Amino acid sequence: MNTELRMRVVPDLRFLAGADGTPDRIQAKALVYGAVSEDMGGWREVFAPESVELDPDLRMLFDHQTSMVIGRQSAGTLDAMDDGSGIVATGYPPDTSWARDLRTSMERGDIDQMSFRFLALEDDIAWVPSEAAPDGGYVLRTVLRARVSELSVVAIPAYPQTIALARAS
C-alpha cells in the first residue's frame, strides 16, 4: 500500500505570534469528516466519521517538506486529536527564518490551507448521481479507515474545508 497526499483549503488556518513577535502556534482543522474533496481527476473523496487513526508520532510540516517541521508529537511541539468532526491540531513552530516567512505569508492570507498524508486501510467506491456533473454524476471514494502520518500547512489543497490559524499564547 502507498501513502497518499490530500490538500485542502481551510477557512480557519492561523499563525499567531507571541508577545515578542516570534511565531507562537498554528491552529488547524486539518481534516473534516463528511467534506467532499475537489475533483481529483474524475473522482472525489470523502472521509467517513471516526475513520482516522493518527500516527503515534504525528508531524506537522510546511508544504510537506521534511526539513520544515512545525511540530512533532514526540517532541511535545504538536497536539492533535479527533474532535468528532475531524482532525484538529496545534503546532508550535521553531524560531527559524522559514517559520517567520511562513508567518508573514499566513498573516497576508497567502497561505491558509492544510494537507495531510495518509494510508488508506479500507475504502468504498460508489457512483453518485449529480445533475451538476458533466457525466450526470461522479465516482466517490469513501475512506472508511486510514492512518494519518503527517499534516502540512500548504497553499494549494484538495479539500477546501480545512483551516489553519496562528495564535499567541
Side-chain angles (χ1 to χ4, degrees):
M1 292 195 216
N2 294 325
T3 60
E4 302 176 43
L5 287 176
R6 294 297 179 266
M7 293 178 243
R8 165 181 225 161
V9 175
V10 292
D12 202 17
L13 173 68
R14 295 186 199 150
F15 199 136
L16 300 180
D20 60 353
T22 59
D24 191 18
R25 68 185 188 261
I26 295 175
Q27 291 184 317
K29 180 76 163 204
L31 189 150
V32 180
Y33 294 136
V36 179
S37 73
E38 298 292 325
D39 186 324
M40 299 177 73
W43 59 283
R44 294 175 183 265
E45 182 176 72
V46 64
F47 278 74
E50 300 178 8
S51 61
V52 171
E53 167 192 327
L54 296 175
D55 188 280
D57 195 16
L58 186 69
R59 292 160 173 87
M60 181 185 283
L61 307 178
F62 173 41
D63 205 28
H64 300 289
Q65 299 296 314
T66 57
S67 62
M68 297 180 174
V69 180
I70 293 167
R72 181 176 180 178
Q73 283 190 312
S74 67
T77 56
L78 174 64
D79 298 314
M81 62 176 274
D82 185 330
D83 74 351
S85 67
I87 304 303
V88 295
T90 300
Y92 301 90
D95 183 15
T96 60
S97 58
W98 67 262
R100 288 187 296 274
D101 292 346
L102 174 59
R103 174 183 167 204
T104 298
S105 293
M106 291 181 73
E107 286 173 348
R108 289 168 34 115
D110 298 333
I111 298 175
D112 62 355
Q113 299 151 328
M114 291 298 294
S115 177
F116 52 93
R117 181 182 308 272
F118 69 99
L119 175 64
L121 302 172
E122 182 181 355
D123 61 11
D124 184 55
I125 308 293
W127 176 257
V128 176
S130 171
E131 292 180 20
D135 296 330
Y138 58 91
V139 173
L140 180 67
R141 176 191 190 194
T142 301
V143 178
L144 301 171
R145 285 186 40 239
R147 183 174 301 115
V148 172
S149 59
E150 173 210 321
L151 309 174
S152 273
V153 176
V154 298
I156 303 173
Y159 285 83
Q161 301 86 348
T162 60
I163 301 166
L165 307 167
R167 296 199 182 260
S169 295

